[in-house]
Amino acid sequence: MDDLDKQQKGLERKDKDSEPNNLPLVLIAEDNEEDRRLLGNMLRKESYRVSIAENGRQAIETLFNAPPDLILLDVRMPVMDGLTVGSQIKGSSVT
């Protein structure tokens, strides 16, 4: 698996060591690979750090491991839909 595949699967961030931690972190929760890549590239160009989740369950796990400043959440995803994710994180102490 190359670095781009890892990055798109949420396993590794592009240029992880060169990204200052003070930049805002955006979590993209999206099951469509092309949409993830497009959004991620747009946000990185604007100096955001990006975290990727392919489904709702990954979004919840990512949220608790590295709380983002903003979540872009797809409503229709496999495993757990975005509405369920939203309701679960709404009352969370992390958000």
Side-chain angles (χ1 to χ4, degrees):
M1 184 181 300
D2 66 18
D3 287 343
L4 182 59
D5 289 338
K6 288 179 184 176
Q7 175 187 344
Q8 289 176 343
K9 294 193 181 304
L11 301 175
E12 183 173 285
R13 287 194 188 121
K14 181 179 178 185
D15 301 321
K16 183 169 107 178
D17 295 331
S18 66
E19 293 178 334
N21 286 336
N22 61 341
L23 294 176
L25 175 62
V26 178
L27 169 58
I28 300 172
E30 169 63 63
D31 61 320
N32 182 287
E33 183 178 347
E34 181 66 23
D35 290 346
R36 285 192 310 266
R37 190 169 47 83
L38 177 66
L39 286 168
N41 289 340
M42 289 172 52
L43 289 165
R44 285 184 194 94
K45 284 181 184 176
E46 297 297 324
S47 298
Y48 289 93
R49 293 181 299 139
V50 174
S51 181
I52 303 287
E54 292 183 17
N55 60 57
R57 189 168 317 281
Q58 284 182 1
I60 294 284
E61 291 170 2
T62 301
L63 172 75
F64 288 103
N65 290 329
D69 297 292
L70 176 70
I71 302 171
L72 299 178
L73 187 60
D74 185 8
V75 174
R76 295 191 318 184
M77 292 184 290
V79 183
M80 182 185 298
D81 66 58
L83 296 174
T84 303
V85 173
S87 67
Q88 285 193 11
I89 64 175
K90 184 177 179 182
S92 169
S93 62
V94 175
T95 57

